[in-house]
Amino acid sequence: MSTNEKQYKSETVKIMIIDDVKANTLLLEKLFLMNGYQNITVIHDSTKALEAIDQEDPDVLLLDLKMPIVDGFEILASLNERDHPLLNSLLVITAYHDSEYRHRALQLGARDFLTKPFDPTEVSLKVRHLLETNHQRRLREDQNLQLESLVLQRTLRIAELQDEYVLRMITAMKHRDNETGRHLMRMSQYVFQVAKKLGLPEEHCDTLKHASAMHDIGKLAIPDRILLKKGRLTLEEFEVMKQHTTKGAELLSGSRSEVLIMAESIALTHHEKWDGNGYPRGLKREDIPLEGRIVAICDVFDALTSTRPYKSAWTEEEALAEIQRQSGIHFDPEIVQAFSEIFTEIVETRMRWLD
């Protein structure tokens, strides 16, 4: 038995089965228990499926298609609309043999199929394959982040610039919010591309790329009850959240490093607006540093196109249309124009950093 296989058969692996036929779920549950999986959730009432998925956060989902009231296709469609990561570990259980149904399930994000009546060995192999594939995907993602950190360390001369302190803060942010690491990497790539389009020197673009990854460092000082809240913030909570700009600038202040000086400026100004209605200081137009104006657009684009507890992800085209609508209001029109001209490249970058 391999190391990975042992890991997957530990108590940490969560398996969820959604099927209205109890005979099927009993057979699957017994099979998984025999194979060493101990954390198994069974849902017979498909109307409670999405709520259970959100609460349990399973590693693998076995989903029946033909169920009363809410069928498997509706559950798939909802997960697809939210770009739910569980789609990477979703195994459809189906009695349908018509390719039309298979194609429809695949289009909605299903990764593989089990055909009723199912073969126990096939079930075990498919589940193990999904777990191993996702484990490898997460390893690649971690390796990408580590490589990015290594490049950042060499570029900034870590020992001289005390950047280990900053990297530890970024790592702490990733531990508080799983999406933060991917958001930082995507957003800093967009910033680099926009800066190049604006004609900034290559070295300045590199500095801006690394500095922009620290734009939300002040969120380390925001309480978890607000930062990780699953829903919209109240006005009082939003006032606390807004403090991440000034707190981030304070964390980064006092350095002689060009990167950290720029990071301090970005942390403080990336929520200012072109028309002066931003925060924390209500700066307007060119009074907002160029780096803050660039990060503002890239940060909003990635936020709009990402799923949040209180909203579904927008399409890239919808996000672009909103950014263009906010030209001259929220955003610098010149930077909106540059962003629009390289939109295809931005989308390609987003696709690379999603996986």
Side-chain angles (χ1 to χ4, degrees), residues 191-205 208 290 294 334-335 338 341-342:
V191 166
F192 178 80
Q193 291 172 292
V194 172
K196 287 194 69 175
K197 181 62 180 178
L198 290 170
L200 300 181
E202 186 82 17
E203 184 176 347
H204 190 85
C205 293
L208 182 52
L290 177 60
I294 293 173
E334 182 182 355
I335 301 176
E341 290 177 4
I342 61 168

Side-chain angles (χ1 to χ4, degrees), residues 5 78 81 159 171 201 245 286 350:
E5 190 174 342
S78 179
E81 183 180 350
T171 300
T245 54
E286 286 84 1
R350 173 172 169 74

Side-chain angles (χ1 to χ4, degrees), residues 28-216:
L28 287 169
E29 191 172 10
K30 181 178 179 180
L31 172 65
F32 290 135
L33 289 171
M34 289 174 59
N35 279 273
Y37 300 102
Q38 299 179 32
N39 198 337
I40 305 165
T41 301
V42 176
I43 307 295
H44 294 122
D45 183 353
S46 58
T47 64
K48 299 178 180 178
L50 293 173
E51 180 183 358
I53 288 170
D54 289 337
Q55 290 179 348
E56 298 295 330
D57 189 25
D59 296 299
V60 174
L61 173 62
L62 286 80
L63 176 66
D64 187 22
L65 290 180
K66 190 176 181 180
M67 294 182 289
I69 307 178
V70 177
D71 65 17
F73 288 116
E74 292 176 84
I75 295 171
L76 269 172
S78 179
L79 294 175
N80 183 275
E81 183 180 350
R82 294 160 56 186
D83 194 22
H84 201 291
L86 187 57
L87 289 171
N88 291 315
S89 315
L90 197 150
L91 192 60
V92 162
I93 309 172
T94 178
Y96 295 122
H97 294 276
D98 193 324
S99 60
E100 176 185 350
Y101 293 100
R102 289 173 173 265
H103 294 167
R104 183 181 171 192
L106 287 170
Q107 289 171 348
L108 289 171
R111 286 295 179 267
D112 206 344
F113 292 88
L114 285 172
T115 303
K116 295 179 181 178
F118 41 78
D119 176 81
T121 302
E122 183 183 12
V123 173
S124 298
L125 290 174
K126 284 182 181 291
V127 168
R128 187 176 68 181
H129 175 72
L130 283 176
L131 287 168
E132 290 177 350
T133 299
N134 283 327
H135 179 61
Q136 293 301 319
R137 179 178 57 81
R138 286 190 292 269
L139 284 178
R140 288 197 304 271
E141 186 176 89
D142 289 343
Q143 288 167 357
N144 285 338
L145 291 173
Q146 289 170 11
L147 286 172
E148 189 72 17
S149 293
L150 287 173
V151 172
L152 179 60
Q153 289 177 36
R154 293 192 181 103
T155 303
L156 302 181
R157 300 186 303 277
I158 293 297
E160 178 182 343
L161 303 180
Q162 300 179 343
D163 225 39
E164 180 181 356
Y165 169 65
V166 175
L167 289 173
R168 286 179 183 273
M169 287 195 289
I170 292 176
T171 300
M173 289 178 66
K174 290 190 291 185
H175 285 314
R176 291 183 79 186
D177 177 4
N178 290 333
E179 173 58 18
T180 295
R182 291 186 290 270
H183 166 66
L184 294 177
M185 294 307 153
R186 288 194 301 264
M187 200 275 301
S188 62
Q189 296 293 328
Y190 308 152
V191 166
F192 178 80
Q193 291 172 292
V194 172
K196 287 194 69 175
K197 181 62 180 178
L198 290 170
L200 300 181
E202 186 82 17
E203 184 176 347
H204 190 85
C205 293
D206 283 328
T207 300
L208 182 52
K209 173 184 174 181
H210 298 310
S212 66
M214 305 176 218
H215 71 289
D216 272 344

